[in-house]
Amino acid sequence: MSHVSTLDFSAFCSKDPGRQQSFCQQFTAALQQHGFVKLINHAVPAEGIAKIFEFSKQFFEMDQAAKAVAAHPTTAIPHRGYSFVGQEKTSILAPGEGKPSVDCKESFDMGSPYSRIFPNTWPADCDMPHFRPEIESFYQTCQDFHHTLLRALALGLQLDAHTFDSLVDGNDHELRLLHYPAVPKKELMNGQKTRIAPHTDFGVLTLLFQDDVGGLQVMDQQTGLYSVVDGSHPIMLVNVGDSLQRWTNNHLRAVLHQVTAPSQSPSGTDSPIFTKERFSVAFFGKPNRACSLHPLPQLLLDGECSQYPDITAGEYQDSRIHGTY
């Protein structure tokens, strides 16, 4: 049973100050308690989400040679382009969570369309002529909504609404398309493989959209047990990343989550042998690479000491991703 709250984002868009304030308080409280929250009636259009899932399916249905045109660069910093099944080793991100496992997933990542330091790589236009503009447009939509959510969060923390603006305006975010191919159930159940191993995200807030196949599990901060978090798009899942945990000095925590065999598959689509393929789309809201992840002074309680050293977001993320490829 999921322990993640569902909130109606339309309350934040209301002209009623009371409803706006109530949403900000509930949003912040839900993230403090569970690290995750579900949003309905948010500002990312349902038709845009559906279109991105269609483009994602088309991309991953191409043969390996066509996908390899957009191959992930030899360096792992940061995520860009296509990563084949097993290329990324997520299990090293949560040491102590179990034996190393193979991630049965493939992905396509993009960052800012304007970055000259970390340029994006794309499939050939002749294979997917509309892929790039659609993905770039969805990236921009998610980026705008991420900034809006941070303003709601700031108000929920009793800070100025624009507290986080200058920390995330460098456009260092990432958008990831994910495909989990069909895999023998026994390999997931006996631990030989996983769809994605337990991990936390590196950034500020993650916006996640998923299909109805299931398998996402989130650890309860109180019990240490995992529970299923369902909800297919257009429902949006939002979760805390490591950078926000550092800025808030652990008052908001990034929680471990994983994708494994679903407890049940949609009616009429299950197989006794294979777990059905799964698709999801994640927008990782990231801090500016040059900004500090030292706790924000206004979020330190009287007499409270910082739990973290002063390190830039770029340095931290590079250290976390090192070794995953």
mmCIF file with all atom_site columns, all heavy atoms in Angstrom, residues 7-24:
data_model
loop_
_atom_site.group_PDB
_atom_site.id
_atom_site.type_symbol
_atom_site.label_atom_id
_atom_site.label_alt_id
_atom_site.label_comp_id
_atom_site.label_asym_id
_atom_site.label_entity_id
_atom_site.label_seq_id
_atom_site.pdbx_PDB_ins_code
_atom_site.Cartn_x
_atom_site.Cartn_y
_atom_site.Cartn_z
_atom_site.occupancy
_atom_site.B_iso_or_equiv
_atom_site.pdbx_formal_charge
_atom_site.auth_seq_id
_atom_site.auth_comp_id
_atom_site.auth_asym_id
_atom_site.auth_atom_id
_atom_site.pdbx_PDB_model_num
ATOM 1   N N   . LEU A 1 7  ? -1.951  15.391 -3.957  1.00 0.00 ? 7  LEU A N   1
ATOM 2   C CA  . LEU A 1 7  ? -2.378  16.780 -3.794  1.00 0.00 ? 7  LEU A CA  1
ATOM 3   C C   . LEU A 1 7  ? -2.856  17.345 -5.123  1.00 0.00 ? 7  LEU A C   1
ATOM 4   O O   . LEU A 1 7  ? -2.367  16.963 -6.192  1.00 0.00 ? 7  LEU A O   1
ATOM 5   C CB  . LEU A 1 7  ? -1.232  17.642 -3.260  1.00 0.00 ? 7  LEU A CB  1
ATOM 6   C CG  . LEU A 1 7  ? -0.651  17.265 -1.895  1.00 0.00 ? 7  LEU A CG  1
ATOM 7   C CD1 . LEU A 1 7  ? 0.486   18.226 -1.522  1.00 0.00 ? 7  LEU A CD1 1
ATOM 8   C CD2 . LEU A 1 7  ? -1.722  17.277 -0.819  1.00 0.00 ? 7  LEU A CD2 1
ATOM 9   N N   . ASP A 1 8  ? -3.799  18.284 -5.036  1.00 0.00 ? 8  ASP A N   1
ATOM 10  C CA  . ASP A 1 8  ? -4.361  18.935 -6.217  1.00 0.00 ? 8  ASP A CA  1
ATOM 11  C C   . ASP A 1 8  ? -3.645  20.265 -6.430  1.00 0.00 ? 8  ASP A C   1
ATOM 12  O O   . ASP A 1 8  ? -3.819  21.205 -5.652  1.00 0.00 ? 8  ASP A O   1
ATOM 13  C CB  . ASP A 1 8  ? -5.856  19.159 -6.007  1.00 0.00 ? 8  ASP A CB  1
ATOM 14  C CG  . ASP A 1 8  ? -6.561  19.671 -7.249  1.00 0.00 ? 8  ASP A CG  1
ATOM 15  O OD1 . ASP A 1 8  ? -5.887  20.240 -8.138  1.00 0.00 ? 8  ASP A OD1 1
ATOM 16  O OD2 . ASP A 1 8  ? -7.794  19.529 -7.334  1.00 0.00 ? 8  ASP A OD2 1
ATOM 17  N N   . PHE A 1 9  ? -2.827  20.331 -7.491  1.00 0.00 ? 9  PHE A N   1
ATOM 18  C CA  . PHE A 1 9  ? -2.027  21.530 -7.729  1.00 0.00 ? 9  PHE A CA  1
ATOM 19  C C   . PHE A 1 9  ? -2.880  22.740 -8.098  1.00 0.00 ? 9  PHE A C   1
ATOM 20  O O   . PHE A 1 9  ? -2.431  23.881 -7.941  1.00 0.00 ? 9  PHE A O   1
ATOM 21  C CB  . PHE A 1 9  ? -1.010  21.273 -8.845  1.00 0.00 ? 9  PHE A CB  1
ATOM 22  C CG  . PHE A 1 9  ? -0.109  22.443 -9.112  1.00 0.00 ? 9  PHE A CG  1
ATOM 23  C CD1 . PHE A 1 9  ? 0.925   22.755 -8.230  1.00 0.00 ? 9  PHE A CD1 1
ATOM 24  C CD2 . PHE A 1 9  ? -0.306  23.256 -10.226 1.00 0.00 ? 9  PHE A CD2 1
ATOM 25  C CE1 . PHE A 1 9  ? 1.742   23.848 -8.463  1.00 0.00 ? 9  PHE A CE1 1
ATOM 26  C CE2 . PHE A 1 9  ? 0.513   24.341 -10.470 1.00 0.00 ? 9  PHE A CE2 1
ATOM 27  C CZ  . PHE A 1 9  ? 1.542   24.649 -9.585  1.00 0.00 ? 9  PHE A CZ  1
ATOM 28  N N   . SER A 1 10 ? -4.117  22.529 -8.551  1.00 0.00 ? 10 SER A N   1
ATOM 29  C CA  . SER A 1 10 ? -4.959  23.659 -8.921  1.00 0.00 ? 10 SER A CA  1
ATOM 30  C C   . SER A 1 10 ? -5.194  24.600 -7.749  1.00 0.00 ? 10 SER A C   1
ATOM 31  O O   . SER A 1 10 ? -5.492  25.782 -7.942  1.00 0.00 ? 10 SER A O   1
ATOM 32  C CB  . SER A 1 10 ? -6.304  23.175 -9.482  1.00 0.00 ? 10 SER A CB  1
ATOM 33  O OG  . SER A 1 10 ? -7.068  22.510 -8.494  1.00 0.00 ? 10 SER A OG  1
ATOM 34  N N   . ALA A 1 11 ? -5.044  24.093 -6.527  1.00 0.00 ? 11 ALA A N   1
ATOM 35  C CA  . ALA A 1 11 ? -5.200  24.951 -5.351  1.00 0.00 ? 11 ALA A CA  1
ATOM 36  C C   . ALA A 1 11 ? -4.137  26.044 -5.328  1.00 0.00 ? 11 ALA A C   1
ATOM 37  O O   . ALA A 1 11 ? -4.402  27.180 -4.908  1.00 0.00 ? 11 ALA A O   1
ATOM 38  C CB  . ALA A 1 11 ? -5.127  24.110 -4.077  1.00 0.00 ? 11 ALA A CB  1
ATOM 39  N N   . PHE A 1 12 ? -2.939  25.719 -5.787  1.00 0.00 ? 12 PHE A N   1
ATOM 40  C CA  . PHE A 1 12 ? -1.858  26.719 -5.807  1.00 0.00 ? 12 PHE A CA  1
ATOM 41  C C   . PHE A 1 12 ? -2.140  27.796 -6.853  1.00 0.00 ? 12 PHE A C   1
ATOM 42  O O   . PHE A 1 12 ? -1.714  28.946 -6.701  1.00 0.00 ? 12 PHE A O   1
ATOM 43  C CB  . PHE A 1 12 ? -0.517  26.053 -6.093  1.00 0.00 ? 12 PHE A CB  1
ATOM 44  C CG  . PHE A 1 12 ? 0.653   27.002 -6.062  1.00 0.00 ? 12 PHE A CG  1
ATOM 45  C CD1 . PHE A 1 12 ? 1.085   27.552 -4.863  1.00 0.00 ? 12 PHE A CD1 1
ATOM 46  C CD2 . PHE A 1 12 ? 1.324   27.346 -7.218  1.00 0.00 ? 12 PHE A CD2 1
ATOM 47  C CE1 . PHE A 1 12 ? 2.162   28.428 -4.827  1.00 0.00 ? 12 PHE A CE1 1
ATOM 48  C CE2 . PHE A 1 12 ? 2.402   28.221 -7.200  1.00 0.00 ? 12 PHE A CE2 1
ATOM 49  C CZ  . PHE A 1 12 ? 2.824   28.761 -5.993  1.00 0.00 ? 12 PHE A CZ  1
ATOM 50  N N   . CYS A 1 13 ? -2.844  27.433 -7.906  1.00 0.00 ? 13 CYS A N   1
ATOM 51  C CA  . CYS A 1 13 ? -3.166  28.379 -8.983  1.00 0.00 ? 13 CYS A CA  1
ATOM 52  C C   . CYS A 1 13 ? -4.416  29.198 -8.667  1.00 0.00 ? 13 CYS A C   1
ATOM 53  O O   . CYS A 1 13 ? -4.784  30.090 -9.432  1.00 0.00 ? 13 CYS A O   1
ATOM 54  C CB  . CYS A 1 13 ? -3.365  27.629 -10.291 1.00 0.00 ? 13 CYS A CB  1
ATOM 55  S SG  . CYS A 1 13 ? -1.953  26.623 -10.789 1.00 0.00 ? 13 CYS A SG  1
ATOM 56  N N   . SER A 1 14 ? -5.061  28.892 -7.558  1.00 0.00 ? 14 SER A N   1
ATOM 57  C CA  . SER A 1 14 ? -6.287  29.577 -7.177  1.00 0.00 ? 14 SER A CA  1
ATOM 58  C C   . SER A 1 14 ? -6.017  31.042 -6.820  1.00 0.00 ? 14 SER A C   1
ATOM 59  O O   . SER A 1 14 ? -4.923  31.409 -6.391  1.00 0.00 ? 14 SER A O   1
ATOM 60  C CB  . SER A 1 14 ? -6.915  28.864 -5.971  1.00 0.00 ? 14 SER A CB  1
ATOM 61  O OG  . SER A 1 14 ? -7.930  29.638 -5.396  1.00 0.00 ? 14 SER A OG  1
ATOM 62  N N   . LYS A 1 15 ? -7.031  31.866 -6.996  1.00 0.00 ? 15 LYS A N   1
ATOM 63  C CA  . LYS A 1 15 ? -6.922  33.270 -6.577  1.00 0.00 ? 15 LYS A CA  1
ATOM 64  C C   . LYS A 1 15 ? -7.234  33.439 -5.096  1.00 0.00 ? 15 LYS A C   1
ATOM 65  O O   . LYS A 1 15 ? -7.174  34.549 -4.568  1.00 0.00 ? 15 LYS A O   1
ATOM 66  C CB  . LYS A 1 15 ? -7.866  34.135 -7.418  1.00 0.00 ? 15 LYS A CB  1
ATOM 67  C CG  . LYS A 1 15 ? -7.490  34.171 -8.904  1.00 0.00 ? 15 LYS A CG  1
ATOM 68  C CD  . LYS A 1 15 ? -8.427  35.072 -9.696  1.00 0.00 ? 15 LYS A CD  1
ATOM 69  C CE  . LYS A 1 15 ? -8.025  35.109 -11.165 1.00 0.00 ? 15 LYS A CE  1
ATOM 70  N NZ  . LYS A 1 15 ? -8.937  35.966 -11.971 1.00 0.00 ? 15 LYS A NZ  1
ATOM 71  N N   . ASP A 1 16 ? -7.569  32.321 -4.464  1.00 0.00 ? 16 ASP A N   1
ATOM 72  C CA  . ASP A 1 16 ? -7.865  32.328 -3.028  1.00 0.00 ? 16 ASP A CA  1
ATOM 73  C C   . ASP A 1 16 ? -6.558  32.151 -2.258  1.00 0.00 ? 16 ASP A C   1
ATOM 74  O O   . ASP A 1 16 ? -5.963  31.063 -2.286  1.00 0.00 ? 16 ASP A O   1
ATOM 75  C CB  . ASP A 1 16 ? -8.838  31.193 -2.713  1.00 0.00 ? 16 ASP A CB  1
ATOM 76  C CG  . ASP A 1 16 ? -9.217  31.119 -1.244  1.00 0.00 ? 16 ASP A CG  1
ATOM 77  O OD1 . ASP A 1 16 ? -8.565  31.802 -0.413  1.00 0.00 ? 16 ASP A OD1 1
ATOM 78  O OD2 . ASP A 1 16 ? -10.152 30.378 -0.911  1.00 0.00 ? 16 ASP A OD2 1
ATOM 79  N N   . PRO A 1 17 ? -6.073  33.169 -1.559  1.00 0.00 ? 17 PRO A N   1
ATOM 80  C CA  . PRO A 1 17 ? -4.805  33.061 -0.811  1.00 0.00 ? 17 PRO A CA  1
ATOM 81  C C   . PRO A 1 17 ? -4.806  31.918 0.196   1.00 0.00 ? 17 PRO A C   1
ATOM 82  O O   . PRO A 1 17 ? -3.767  31.290 0.433   1.00 0.00 ? 17 PRO A O   1
ATOM 83  C CB  . PRO A 1 17 ? -4.686  34.414 -0.115  1.00 0.00 ? 17 PRO A CB  1
ATOM 84  C CG  . PRO A 1 17 ? -5.525  35.341 -0.928  1.00 0.00 ? 17 PRO A CG  1
ATOM 85  C CD  . PRO A 1 17 ? -6.664  34.515 -1.429  1.00 0.00 ? 17 PRO A CD  1
ATOM 86  N N   . GLY A 1 18 ? -5.975  31.636 0.764   1.00 0.00 ? 18 GLY A N   1
ATOM 87  C CA  . GLY A 1 18 ? -6.055  30.557 1.745   1.00 0.00 ? 18 GLY A CA  1
ATOM 88  C C   . GLY A 1 18 ? -5.777  29.206 1.122   1.00 0.00 ? 18 GLY A C   1
ATOM 89  O O   . GLY A 1 18 ? -5.072  28.371 1.700   1.00 0.00 ? 18 GLY A O   1
ATOM 90  N N   . ARG A 1 19 ? -6.331  28.970 -0.076  1.00 0.00 ? 19 ARG A N   1
ATOM 91  C CA  . ARG A 1 19 ? -6.090  27.703 -0.777  1.00 0.00 ? 19 ARG A CA  1
ATOM 92  C C   . ARG A 1 19 ? -4.623  27.598 -1.198  1.00 0.00 ? 19 ARG A C   1
ATOM 93  O O   . ARG A 1 19 ? -4.020  26.523 -1.124  1.00 0.00 ? 19 ARG A O   1
ATOM 94  C CB  . ARG A 1 19 ? -6.997  27.585 -1.996  1.00 0.00 ? 19 ARG A CB  1
ATOM 95  C CG  . ARG A 1 19 ? -8.468  27.369 -1.691  1.00 0.00 ? 19 ARG A CG  1
ATOM 96  C CD  . ARG A 1 19 ? -9.228  27.042 -2.976  1.00 0.00 ? 19 ARG A CD  1
ATOM 97  N NE  . ARG A 1 19 ? -8.835  25.746 -3.496  1.00 0.00 ? 19 ARG A NE  1
ATOM 98  C CZ  . ARG A 1 19 ? -8.978  25.377 -4.762  1.00 0.00 ? 19 ARG A CZ  1
ATOM 99  N NH1 . ARG A 1 19 ? -9.485  26.239 -5.651  1.00 0.00 ? 19 ARG A NH1 1
ATOM 100 N NH2 . ARG A 1 19 ? -8.608  24.173 -5.172  1.00 0.00 ? 19 ARG A NH2 1
ATOM 101 N N   . GLN A 1 20 ? -4.062  28.696 -1.659  1.00 0.00 ? 20 GLN A N   1
ATOM 102 C CA  . GLN A 1 20 ? -2.653  28.695 -2.054  1.00 0.00 ? 20 GLN A CA  1
ATOM 103 C C   . GLN A 1 20 ? -1.764  28.346 -0.865  1.00 0.00 ? 20 GLN A C   1
ATOM 104 O O   . GLN A 1 20 ? -0.869  27.493 -0.968  1.00 0.00 ? 20 GLN A O   1
ATOM 105 C CB  . GLN A 1 20 ? -2.260  30.073 -2.598  1.00 0.00 ? 20 GLN A CB  1
ATOM 106 C CG  . GLN A 1 20 ? -2.884  30.428 -3.925  1.00 0.00 ? 20 GLN A CG  1
ATOM 107 C CD  . GLN A 1 20 ? -2.490  31.815 -4.386  1.00 0.00 ? 20 GLN A CD  1
ATOM 108 O OE1 . GLN A 1 20 ? -2.087  32.663 -3.584  1.00 0.00 ? 20 GLN A OE1 1
ATOM 109 N NE2 . GLN A 1 20 ? -2.613  32.067 -5.681  1.00 0.00 ? 20 GLN A NE2 1
ATOM 110 N N   . GLN A 1 21 ? -2.024  28.997 0.248   1.00 0.00 ? 21 GLN A N   1
ATOM 111 C CA  . GLN A 1 21 ? -1.214  28.752 1.441   1.00 0.00 ? 21 GLN A CA  1
ATOM 112 C C   . GLN A 1 21 ? -1.364  27.322 1.923   1.00 0.00 ? 21 GLN A C   1
ATOM 113 O O   . GLN A 1 21 ? -0.386  26.669 2.302   1.00 0.00 ? 21 GLN A O   1
ATOM 114 C CB  . GLN A 1 21 ? -1.613  29.722 2.547   1.00 0.00 ? 21 GLN A CB  1
ATOM 115 C CG  . GLN A 1 21 ? -0.799  29.562 3.831   1.00 0.00 ? 21 GLN A CG  1
ATOM 116 C CD  . GLN A 1 21 ? -1.234  30.519 4.930   1.00 0.00 ? 21 GLN A CD  1
ATOM 117 O OE1 . GLN A 1 21 ? -2.277  31.168 4.814   1.00 0.00 ? 21 GLN A OE1 1
ATOM 118 N NE2 . GLN A 1 21 ? -0.440  30.624 5.979   1.00 0.00 ? 21 GLN A NE2 1
ATOM 119 N N   . SER A 1 22 ? -2.597  26.811 1.873   1.00 0.00 ? 22 SER A N   1
ATOM 120 C CA  . SER A 1 22 ? -2.841  25.435 2.315   1.00 0.00 ? 22 SER A CA  1
ATOM 121 C C   . SER A 1 22 ? -2.075  24.448 1.440   1.00 0.00 ? 22 SER A C   1
ATOM 122 O O   . SER A 1 22 ? -1.478  23.488 1.954   1.00 0.00 ? 22 SER A O   1
ATOM 123 C CB  . SER A 1 22 ? -4.346  25.132 2.256   1.00 0.00 ? 22 SER A CB  1
ATOM 124 O OG  . SER A 1 22 ? -4.594  23.787 2.609   1.00 0.00 ? 22 SER A OG  1
ATOM 125 N N   . PHE A 1 23 ? -2.084  24.681 0.104   1.00 0.00 ? 23 PHE A N   1
ATOM 126 C CA  . PHE A 1 23 ? -1.331  23.784 -0.770  1.00 0.00 ? 23 PHE A CA  1
ATOM 127 C C   . PHE A 1 23 ? 0.151   23.807 -0.423  1.00 0.00 ? 23 PHE A C   1
ATOM 128 O O   . PHE A 1 23 ? 0.787   22.744 -0.333  1.00 0.00 ? 23 PHE A O   1
ATOM 129 C CB  . PHE A 1 23 ? -1.519  24.164 -2.241  1.00 0.00 ? 23 PHE A CB  1
ATOM 130 C CG  . PHE A 1 23 ? -0.642  23.348 -3.161  1.00 0.00 ? 23 PHE A CG  1
ATOM 131 C CD1 . PHE A 1 23 ? -1.058  22.097 -3.592  1.00 0.00 ? 23 PHE A CD1 1
ATOM 132 C CD2 . PHE A 1 23 ? 0.620   23.796 -3.547  1.00 0.00 ? 23 PHE A CD2 1
ATOM 133 C CE1 . PHE A 1 23 ? -0.236  21.309 -4.410  1.00 0.00 ? 23 PHE A CE1 1
ATOM 134 C CE2 . PHE A 1 23 ? 1.440   23.025 -4.360  1.00 0.00 ? 23 PHE A CE2 1
ATOM 135 C CZ  . PHE A 1 23 ? 1.011   21.779 -4.792  1.00 0.00 ? 23 PHE A CZ  1
ATOM 136 N N   . CYS A 1 24 ? 0.736   24.983 -0.262  1.00 0.00 ? 24 CYS A N   1
ATOM 137 C CA  . CYS A 1 24 ? 2.170   25.095 0.031   1.00 0.00 ? 24 CYS A CA  1
ATOM 138 C C   . CYS A 1 24 ? 2.526   24.351 1.310   1.00 0.00 ? 24 CYS A C   1
ATOM 139 O O   . CYS A 1 24 ? 3.552   23.658 1.374   1.00 0.00 ? 24 CYS A O   1
ATOM 140 C CB  . CYS A 1 24 ? 2.577   26.562 0.142   1.00 0.00 ? 24 CYS A CB  1
ATOM 141 S SG  . CYS A 1 24 ? 2.412   27.485 -1.402  1.00 0.00 ? 24 CYS A SG  1
#
